[in-house]
Amino acid sequence: MEEKKSCATMEKLVNLCKSRGIIFPGSEIYGGMGNTWDYGPVGVEIKNNIKRAWWKRFVQESANSFGVDAAILMNPRVWEASGHTASFSDPKMDCKECKMRARADNLIEAHSKGAVNPDAMSQEEMQEYINEHQVRCPNCGNFNWTPIRNFNLMFQTSRGVTDESTNVIYLRPETAQGEFVNFLNVQRTARAKVPFGIAQIGKAFRNEITPGNFIFRTIEFEQMEHQWFCKEGTDQEYYADFKEKAWNFLLDLGFDQNHLRFKDHDKLALYAKSACDIQYLFPIGWSELNGIHNRTNYDLSRHEEYSGKNMMYLDPVTNEKYTPYVIEYSIGADRLMLAVLSEAYDEEKLEGGDTRVVMHFHPSIAAYKCAILPLQKNLGDKAKEIYNELKKYFMVSYDEAGSIGKRYRRQDEIGTPYCVTIDFDTLEDNTVTVRDRDTMEQVRIKVADLKNFILDKIAF
Ligand code: GAP
């Protein structure tokens, strides 16, 4: 596995996130709960900014794209139609000695040190590999596995007051189905003509049994998904467009293109015509950041079959009736957050030998757009006046504790792009010093110009 050239390791990111209020372990005071994480005051701002940037690019600025916010709990027939009830599963094995549960594909990948790609193998081939190579339990070292069994990843719950199986419902494992089932509702109410898109940001849940690697893989996460409905024959062109759009979005967020690559799927789902991921060079190595899929007309056809409702589109110009193809673009908000954190993280040697940790977020993504730092506590009134005015427009941090150097370091660590220092001259001439996070250069500007100076820089 290739090493990431930046200095961000998963351990450093986890520690920084915990100490700076970005992300905490879930249910920490009870000893935590595997693969769950809570966003703190800084993290929730960063994640909201990521979601806002995505929505702006894929809904607000996209011609003919419309948003929805569908229910997490859907009619269970939805999951039969989508195929999740029958086959949304991981190949799992249990160690009969220590009871550890593992995924067969992960065991093979680890055993072959990445040389064998289990995604391209059938279940029988995986079983053969594990037996032939006597792949041992990573926990206790024994080779005494149950045969591979499929483990459905959907979380079940029950509706109503009894536990009868007829009441079983699921927490959605993807947001996409909320877009598909609303295809006609959106088309009619938005008076949309094919091609058009439906987008959604929302929670999804998967009973993942593999180690999460921080927020890379969690059991509860947010997805940002966009389904583009188009006519068969135009689908591959739009597939290429979405690959480009997804790539450019990441570059505009400040990603180095050397840390990104396309990876075509080795094994296509039965209904898919084309599918690829954009992979990012995470601290754990190259891994999927987002997916782009040509899903043909599978989803709408299946919902037509299972719901009995006609899901066809009537072209108002040609009077032609057809079931649109779908190009799906899907990215996890939390996984993108991890990539953004990893990409932003830097350790810089300073003159005098000190090292500063600095997060070089795109200013639109940073939690706070500026920090107000009175040089001394008795400048607090003036500093508060400026703070109270600026916070009407964007998130502002206020810090008067400790030396100015320490306060700069704290803001660098959470990636605040501008530090505004209030000194005694401010009282005389209404000017402040603005320090740039990345260059550490300082300029003197008028308080009256501060708002627009910052608004200009933080646009995405
Ligand atoms: N509707 C298509 C779909 O859900 P997917 O590849 O299973 O496709 C899409 O998921 C994206 O959701 C992934 O590329 C990843 O960014 C994110 N994702 C999937 N499972 C996740 C998990 N357990 N934790 C965090 N993010 C996840």
Side-chain angles (χ1 to χ4, degrees):
M1 210 171 262
E2 275 179 70
E3 283 296 308
K4 182 159 163 52
K5 79 177 174 342
S6 106
C7 42
T9 62
M10 207 61 114
E11 196 188 350
K12 285 180 186 174
L13 290 180
V14 172
N15 289 340
L16 179 79
C17 284
K18 193 172 169 193
S19 65
R20 288 286 169 241
I22 302 174
I23 300 169
F24 309 120
S27 319
E28 193 180 9
I29 60 168
Y30 288 95
M33 177 157 127
N35 294 354
T36 67
W37 298 88
D38 296 340
Y39 287 77
V42 176
V44 70
E45 296 299 332
I46 298 172
K47 190 172 165 191
N48 281 342
N49 291 335
I50 288 175
K51 291 190 283 183
R52 250 180 237 126
W54 187 89
W55 194 263
K56 181 164 186 273
R57 179 62 57 90
F58 289 94
V59 181
Q60 186 182 327
E61 294 175 352
S62 281
N64 238 8
S65 280
F66 308 95
V68 293
D69 184 9
I72 286 174
L73 302 172
M74 303 182 81
N75 187 310
R77 290 280 286 164
V78 167
W79 307 114
E80 287 172 34
S82 67
H84 284 83
T85 316
S87 57
F88 188 56
S89 51
D90 278 342
K92 65 137 181 109
M93 311 176 81
D94 291 314
C95 172
K96 290 191 204 159
E97 306 293 333
C98 73
K99 311 292 174 224
M100 193 194 112
R101 179 162 285 179
R103 265 174 60 174
D105 50 345
N106 290 349
L107 290 173
I108 293 170
E109 205 164 7
H111 182 269
S112 68
K113 299 196 168 59
V116 175
N117 179 6
D119 289 348
M121 293 167 112
S122 67
Q123 188 163 314
E124 291 68 37
E125 286 166 336
M126 284 195 263
Q127 186 75 67
E128 242 170 63
Y129 181 98
I130 286 170
N131 293 345
E132 202 175 292
H133 294 83
Q134 301 259 306
V135 179
R136 291 172 180 278
C137 170
N139 192 42
C140 68
N142 286 298
F143 176 70
N144 191 6
W145 296 106
T146 59
I148 298 177
R149 272 177 299 196
N150 282 322
F151 175 75
N152 196 295
L153 294 180
M154 283 199 292
F155 278 106
Q156 285 186 15
T157 184
S158 53
R159 192 200 162 130
V161 288
T162 58
D163 267 347
E164 287 164 30
S165 61
T166 48
N167 294 343
V168 166
I169 55 173
Y170 302 94
L171 301 188
R172 69 180 175 200
E174 62 169 16
T175 56
Q177 299 305 323
E179 290 131 75
F180 297 136
V181 300
N182 281 299
F183 165 68
L184 289 177
N185 283 336
V186 173
Q187 190 267 316
R188 282 195 207 109
T189 53
R191 285 171 289 121
K193 292 195 181 77
V194 168
F196 73 94
I198 305 184
Q200 172 166 222
I201 298 179
K203 288 262 180 178
F205 304 81
R206 295 183 189 178
N207 200 355
E208 305 274 7
I209 54 165
T210 41
N213 282 318
F214 194 26
I215 52 168
F216 180 82
R217 192 183 305 285
T218 48
I219 55 177
E220 174 184 344
F221 55 99
E222 273 183 285
Q223 285 187 315
M224 308 192 284
E225 298 202 293
H226 186 283
Q227 317 295 336
W228 184 251
F229 299 92
C230 60
K231 191 173 179 192
E232 182 181 359
T234 61
D235 48 314
Q236 283 302 85
E237 207 178 303
Y238 286 121
Y239 175 70
D241 278 0
F242 269 89
K243 283 175 69 172
E244 195 182 326
K245 262 184 135 174
W247 182 266
N248 289 339
F249 174 63
L250 295 171
L251 294 192
D252 293 346
L253 279 182
F255 280 87
D256 178 339
Q257 61 177 344
N258 295 314
H259 297 162
L260 297 169
R261 69 181 188 194
F262 282 106
K263 174 86 175 61
D264 284 330
H265 285 198
D266 294 310
K267 208 164 60 180
L268 284 180
L270 280 181
Y271 52 83
K273 189 157 157 187
S274 321
C276 70
D277 296 334
I278 293 180
Q279 295 186 330
Y280 173 66
L281 190 48
F282 285 95
I284 50 170
W286 286 105
S287 307
E288 174 185 346
L289 173 58
N290 71 240
I292 302 135
H293 317 123
N294 180 344
R295 302 178 60 101
T296 66
N297 59 9
Y298 173 81
D299 305 284
L300 293 182
S301 307
R302 291 279 288 194
H303 284 304
E304 177 163 315
E305 185 187 335
Y306 279 72
S307 69
K309 296 279 180 310
N310 184 346
M311 301 294 279
M312 286 180 129
Y313 171 72
L314 173 64
D315 188 311
V317 178
T318 62
N319 268 337
E320 196 185 346
K321 258 189 162 182
Y322 60 90
T323 309
Y325 268 42
V326 170
I327 307 302
E328 174 179 72
Y329 157 53
S330 177
I331 183 163
D334 310 84
R335 198 169 289 182
L336 179 55
M337 170 103 178
L338 178 60
V340 163
L341 290 169
S342 168
E343 191 70 5
Y345 185 93
D346 203 4
E347 287 167 11
E348 284 177 13
K349 282 262 172 286
L350 299 174
E351 281 170 28
D354 276 0
T355 302
R356 75 164 181 151
V357 169
V358 54
M359 298 297 271
H360 295 287
F361 296 127
H362 187 289
S364 67
I365 298 303
Y368 301 106
K369 306 311 176 192
C370 73
I372 303 296
L373 313 175
L375 210 51
Q376 294 185 9
K377 280 203 173 125
N378 56 3
L379 291 162
D381 286 349
K382 183 68 185 170
K384 283 265 166 65
E385 184 190 309
I386 297 173
Y387 168 72
N388 286 331
E389 179 57 21
L390 290 183
K391 72 181 187 177
K392 293 180 198 161
Y393 304 96
F394 39 76
M395 289 297 292
V396 183
S397 168
Y398 184 90
D399 189 359
E400 54 181 27
S403 73
I404 194 74
K406 284 213 172 96
R407 283 184 271 167
Y408 283 156
R409 289 295 98 80
R410 281 202 287 268
Q411 297 300 331
D412 289 343
E413 287 188 7
I414 58 169
T416 307
Y418 300 102
C419 282
V420 177
T421 315
I422 284 80
D423 55 26
F424 287 102
D425 288 342
T426 313
L427 302 181
E428 302 294 320
D429 60 6
N430 250 328
T431 62
V432 288
T433 301
V434 179
R435 170 193 179 264
D436 183 291
R437 173 197 67 199
D438 299 333
T439 61
M440 292 190 282
E441 274 165 18
Q442 306 196 358
V443 289
R444 195 85 191 165
I445 71 170
K446 288 189 194 134
V447 171
D449 295 337
L450 201 48
K451 178 189 95 187
N452 285 337
F453 174 87
I454 293 173
L455 278 177
D456 256 11
K457 312 266 175 150
I458 63 176
F460 177 72

